[in-house]
Amino acid sequence: QLQLVESGGGLVQPGGSLRLSCAASGFALDYAIGWFRQAPGKEREGVPCISRSGGSTNYADSVKGRFTISRDNAKSTVYLQMNSLKPEDTAVYYCARTYYCGSLNPGEYNAWGQGTQVTVSS
């Protein structure tokens, strides 16, 4: 009954902001959580990951300084604040569960949500 549900996606103009949410159920949120994105014709790409306590994060170079990952374990929710959005950020965004944030390799994540669409366009 493990479930991860993403929300908060939508259409935004370049330079705008969105906040994505990843809500977990069926398990205690004592896991590291990563965000990934996949654009048409491209491989799934790791974006950031946050440790179980929130004390450690791991960001892809392409989003450093623009995106911020955070978590509220009391609400079983992980957030992705996305600022200064660019057209190349357009993708379906997924959250996923792992044990540690040492890697942004999708193969090391063992549960996935269904994704939420983010489109950055003028």
Side-chain angles (χ1 to χ4, degrees):
Q1 296 181 350
L2 183 153
Q3 188 175 19
L4 294 168
V5 180
E6 302 93 338
S7 62
L11 175 64
V12 64
Q13 294 184 340
S17 298
L18 286 173
R19 189 179 75 161
L20 306 183
S21 298
C22 173
S25 63
F27 65 98
L29 198 62
D30 292 328
Y31 293 85
I33 298 292
W35 284 95
F36 293 78
R37 63 188 183 186
Q38 188 165 22
K42 296 184 178 180
E43 295 183 353
R44 192 164 296 188
E45 173 191 23
V47 185
C49 184
I50 188 166
S51 65
R52 288 175 284 179
S53 68
S56 180
T57 56
N58 185 9
Y59 290 88
D61 289 341
S62 60
V63 303
K64 286 181 179 178
R66 298 190 298 121
F67 291 9
T68 303
I69 190 169
S70 61
R71 66 190 297 157
D72 185 342
N73 287 345
K75 296 181 178 180
S76 297
T77 302
V78 173
Y79 303 97
L80 181 64
Q81 179 67 45
M82 305 187 296
N83 298 326
S84 301
L85 284 163
K86 304 175 181 179
E88 52 262 44
D89 295 319
T90 296
V92 177
Y93 283 71
Y94 303 87
C95 62
R97 187 185 73 173
T98 190
Y99 292 104
Y100 301 100
C101 279
S103 174
L104 293 175
N105 182 351
E108 298 184 9
Y109 291 72
N110 55 35
W112 295 82
Q114 294 299 305
T116 185
Q117 177 71 48
V118 172
T119 302
V120 185
S121 177
S122 60

